[in-house]
Amino acid sequence: KNQVEQSPQSLIILEGKNCTLQCNYTVSPFSNLRWYKQDTGRGPVSLTIMTFSENTKSNGRYTATLDADTKQSSLHITASQLSDSASYICVVSPFTGTASKLTFGTGTRLQVTL
Amino acid sequence: ETGVTQTPRHLVMGMTNKKSLKCEQHLGHNAMYWYKQSAKKPLELMFVYNFKEQTENNSVPSRFSPECPNSSHLFLHLHTLQPEDSALYLCASSQARGLYEQYFGPGTRLTVT
């Protein structure tokens, strides 16, 4: 069964600090991996998307990495801001299929404090 | 309005009520989706519509009834819900059916009392 596991479940950091969120998956064959940011009470918004051939992708202070061999991805947030407080969801897509084949993680809830 | 909009944003209903959730997308997409998001659980895909036709129903109870009158609008009709149906209901759209990037609305927070 395809699975996506994210860690930690939740995280609290001070403003200005860096942090790294992890995503491990078992989806195979694998096409791409997306990281979404979801603010409380809002819908998810895409941050990055990486195909199996890419190993890093940046979007401002967000940098995602991918190791397709070990089936691991990470999202690194640099110089965190209060507005980074949100849930971060990892979503893995197989090579073929429809939306029902997307596998979502449960997310990491990040809180950035003063 | 841009993107994907959903109304209402919050809804409280009793188990005997009938209500509807509305979703509208302004992106020119052809596929629309309903998801359920419960606390500490992954997003659960409920229904998929492509060019107004339902293409997927992931074993959703009949107390949830979707309707898609055109490619821009999607409804979710609710009746005789249970307290465990309380969740955030998200609508999404994508360019076409398949593994295209989905754009999500802000969601409707539903509480069933």
Side-chain angles (χ1 to χ4, degrees):
Chain A
K1 181 183 175 184
N2 289 334
Q3 286 189 308
V4 172
E5 293 186 358
Q6 293 188 242
S7 61
Q9 202 169 42
S10 61
L11 182 62
I12 301 175
I13 62 172
L14 292 175
E15 185 181 30
K17 298 296 185 183
N18 303 336
C19 68
T20 300
L21 314 181
Q22 299 290 342
C23 173
N24 295 342
Y25 61 92
T26 61
V27 178
S28 182
F30 155 82
S31 174
N32 63 64
L33 184 148
R34 293 189 176 103
W35 282 94
Y36 281 91
K37 178 187 179 187
Q38 184 176 20
D39 292 314
T40 301
R42 310 289 296 182
V45 174
S46 180
L47 289 175
T48 64
I49 176 171
M50 288 182 293
T51 65
F52 64 91
S53 61
E54 296 175 292
N55 52 30
T56 188
K57 182 74 70 78
S58 291
N59 177 358
R61 294 179 296 101
Y62 300 100
T63 299
T65 64
L66 174 65
D67 185 334
D69 292 330
T70 62
K71 295 186 169 55
Q72 295 180 324
S73 176
S74 65
L75 181 69
H76 186 74
I77 304 175
T78 304
S80 61
Q81 300 177 358
L82 296 177
S83 59
D84 293 329
S85 297
S87 288
Y88 292 84
I89 302 171
C90 176
V91 184
V92 181
S93 174
F95 259 119
T96 60
T98 60
S100 62
K101 300 302 182 187
L102 293 176
T103 305
F104 290 82
T106 55
T108 291
R109 186 158 193 83
L110 174 65
Q111 184 177 348
V112 181
T113 65
L114 293 172
Chain B
E1 290 271 20
T2 59
V4 181
T5 59
Q6 290 186 242
T7 55
R9 295 295 311 280
H10 301 271
L11 178 62
V12 179
M13 59 186 289
M15 289 190 284
T16 58
N17 290 159
K18 287 184 181 182
K19 296 286 184 183
S20 295
L21 310 185
K22 179 183 175 183
C23 174
E24 184 174 0
Q25 58 95 0
H26 309 268
L27 300 169
H29 290 165
N30 296 310
M32 296 187 77
Y33 312 81
W34 279 117
Y35 284 89
K36 176 183 179 183
Q37 187 176 35
S38 305
K40 298 185 179 180
K41 288 178 130 182
L43 269 72
E44 300 171 51
L45 180 65
M46 299 174 72
F47 302 102
V48 181
Y49 277 81
N50 191 46
F51 289 98
K52 306 189 303 178
E53 300 299 320
Q54 186 180 121
T55 56
E56 294 187 50
N57 174 341
N58 280 343
S59 304
V60 180
S62 60
R63 58 185 183 269
F64 296 91
S65 175
E67 178 190 359
C68 189
N70 54 60
S71 292
S72 299
H73 294 85
L74 186 63
F75 295 88
L76 188 62
H77 304 299
L78 317 170
H79 65 99
T80 59
L81 295 191
Q82 305 298 311
E84 59 265 28
D85 296 323
S86 298
L88 182 68
Y89 287 85
L90 292 163
C91 173
S93 71
S94 65
Q95 180 181 340
R97 182 188 174 205
L99 299 170
Y100 293 90
E101 180 172 358
Q102 295 180 28
Y103 294 79
F104 288 85
T108 295
R109 173 65 64 185
L110 173 67
T111 303
V112 181
T113 61

